Amino acid sequence: MTGTALTEAGEFMDIYGLDVIEVPTNLPVARADLDDEVYRTSKEKWDAIIRDIENAQKRKQPVLVGTVSIEKSETLSEMLKARGIAHQVLNARYHEQEAHIIAQAGVPGSVTIATNMAGRGTDIVLGGNVEKMIAAVEADESLDASAKQNQIDRLRVQWTKDHEQVKSLGGLRIIATERHESRRIDNQLRGRSGRQGDPGSSRFYLSLDDPLMRIFAGERVASIMDRLKMPEGEAIEAGIVSRSIEGAQRKVEARNFDMRKQLLEYDDVSNDQRKVIYQQRNDILDATELSGQIKALREGCFTDIVRTHVPAESVEEQWDLPALQTVLANDWQIEMDLVSLVEKSESITDEAILEKVLAAVHARFDDKVEQIGQENFTQFERIVLLQSIDQHWRDHLSALDYLRQGIHLRGFAQKQPKQEYKREAFELFGQLLDVVKNEVTRILMNVKIQSNEQIEQATQELENRAESISNVTYTAPTEDGGTQTTLDEESRNKNQVLSGSTTNPYANMRIGRNDPCPCGSGKKYKLCHGKLN
């Protein structure tokens, strides 16, 4: 429900397929929307704005001044302070006070400066909002009931006088310091005055230094001023100028609409792909069994592998069966003698080879499922599918972002960036589906399933192997040509600890470093008992 969406009717129809109907006001609008005043410089414009504010305040007519930014609000506030004009500033900074300030913007003689976003949603009542004043009195605990009632009665009488006074002065005065890029925001500002059939007036003050005028209509208006030889401080006020400015606003709105529409068209590409991925995820989560989906992925993966070495509708001379056997054996642990199969058959086709490979693949996969049961294996399949899709979907979104950042450069090659983006995004999505298909098939085909007995047996083998390694013995030759078996060094150390002797028994003997060790191990002394720790 808005009265200012009519200027955006085309966008609502193109983007959302929605029509816009302007709802008529409850009472006829009595507001006087005056033509814009265009000045040559910003100084002349600000001087005219301040004169208008001073005249209105002298008449006790409330004024609402609209600015396009906080900086402009602060600038105007400083000018008014220098002139000694009391005013309130709304710049969306002190939002707690906004409702109270804007509610009293209709008090006689009040001046309120507001940005486009400030104070919206609060009705400006001519004479001030008496209900808020009454609520403040009722909340005052220092007054008794009779005092509150007397004060409320006085407020209502005073508000009636103020209300009639403001109406006789022409209602709320709207002064806009600049045209916004969007007519909708300007209409919103004007719509703050003239509510429910109340009187009011509005005027926009412009200068040739304003961004909108400088870009779109500045030269045309400047030429008019030059031809008329207008003196400094005098403005152009004509309907043709206002219509020219509205035309400039339409151009800006059209440009902004094209930018939003183009952004939406790029987002539609990823949105269509997102629908496909999320539908797949929902199907995976809701499915009670996934054997059909997994089988389709498996067949697609191995069909690609076979067709790489055995092309479709090809002759035997084009086949590379040894390479296909090697890939199946090394990557998928599937042993098949396809060469012998072809040699034994006189008229085997590429389709028959594909069927043989798929049959072997399905048989090996079914053996895995039988070991733990279809129900348990389905949970594992679901986890693998979801993890693979989620991981590669995130990578795919990053790739689309990188693609969009540089796709506009295709325009230098006389190509449509939008079409190029759609084409390459489609190719990336196809690669995404292929990667998911191959990864899921690889994990499910190569996973090793072990029973509890096999796990215990493997654990026992590891323990036995560790024990055998700790019991390694060393056989050394003796001086007479025989052999002597001794424990390894670690075992000797252990035996020495058990016997209570951890020192070198030959430490007090004069033995050369390279002489044979007296223990009879056959090693040099420096490598046996004389070894340095």
Side-chain angles (χ1 to χ4, degrees), residues 352-392:
I353 294 177
L354 176 60
E355 292 177 1
K356 292 287 185 182
V357 172
L358 292 180
V361 169
H362 293 329
R364 186 170 183 273
F365 185 81
D366 292 340
D367 291 340
K368 293 178 181 289
V369 177
E370 289 179 0
Q371 295 181 38
I372 62 174
Q374 181 64 56
E375 183 177 354
N376 294 329
F377 203 80
T378 297
Q379 298 302 322
F380 178 64
E381 291 173 338
R382 181 177 285 109
I383 294 173
V384 172
L385 274 170
L386 292 177
Q387 288 182 346
S388 180
I389 290 175
D390 293 346
Q391 174 62 41
H392 293 293

Side-chain angles (χ1 to χ4, degrees), residues 410-429:
R410 304 293 176 88
F412 292 108
Q414 303 301 316
K415 295 181 179 179
Q416 289 289 340
K418 197 183 306 178
Q419 298 301 324
E420 289 292 303
Y421 178 80
K422 291 181 179 180
R423 180 181 60 81
E424 294 202 16
F426 181 77
E427 294 177 357
L428 289 174
F429 189 67

Side-chain angles (χ1 to χ4, degrees), residues 158-174:
Q158 183 62 39
W159 176 83
T160 302
K161 294 179 180 179
D162 293 342
H163 181 72
E164 294 300 327
Q165 180 185 3
V166 173
K167 288 181 66 175
S168 65
L169 294 172
L172 180 65
R173 174 74 167 176
I174 300 293

Side-chain angles (χ1 to χ4, degrees), residues 180-195:
H180 198 270
E181 289 184 351
S182 174
R183 292 172 295 158
R184 177 178 57 85
I185 297 178
D186 290 342
N187 292 339
Q188 286 177 343
L189 177 60
R190 271 184 166 149
R192 306 309 300 272
S193 176
R195 297 288 186 92

Side-chain angles (χ1 to χ4, degrees), residues 283-284 286-293 374 378 381-382:
D283 293 342
I284 293 170
D286 296 337
T288 55
E289 58 91 19
L290 299 170
S291 57
Q293 297 183 34
Q374 181 64 56
T378 297
E381 291 173 338
R382 181 177 285 109

Side-chain angles (χ1 to χ4, degrees), residues 54 65 70 93-94 121 126 180 184 198 208 220 222 248 253 292 300 322 336 340 356 360 446 464 517 530:
E54 285 179 331
V65 185
I70 295 177
R93 182 180 297 175
Y94 308 106
L126 300 185
H180 198 270
R184 177 178 57 85
D198 288 337
L208 299 184
R220 190 185 320 167
E253 291 171 354
M336 295 186 68
S340 300
K356 292 287 185 182
N446 293 331
N464 295 338
C517 185

Side-chain angles (χ1 to χ4, degrees), residues 114-181:
T115 56
N116 295 311
M117 293 299 294
R120 292 197 295 182
T122 304
D123 194 17
I124 299 177
V125 181
L126 300 185
N129 194 325
V130 69
E131 298 301 330
K132 286 188 174 293
M133 301 178 191
I134 293 174
V137 172
E138 292 177 345
D140 190 357
E141 298 180 355
S142 63
L143 301 176
D144 55 18
S146 60
K148 289 181 180 180
Q149 187 60 44
N150 292 333
Q151 193 165 348
I152 289 173
D153 293 339
R154 288 196 300 269
L155 286 175
R156 291 191 182 278
V157 172
Q158 183 62 39
W159 176 83
T160 302
K161 294 179 180 179
D162 293 342
H163 181 72
E164 294 300 327
Q165 180 185 3
V166 173
K167 288 181 66 175
S168 65
L169 294 172
L172 180 65
R173 174 74 167 176
I174 300 293
I175 298 176
T177 61
E178 192 174 327
R179 280 279 188 177
H180 198 270
E181 289 184 351

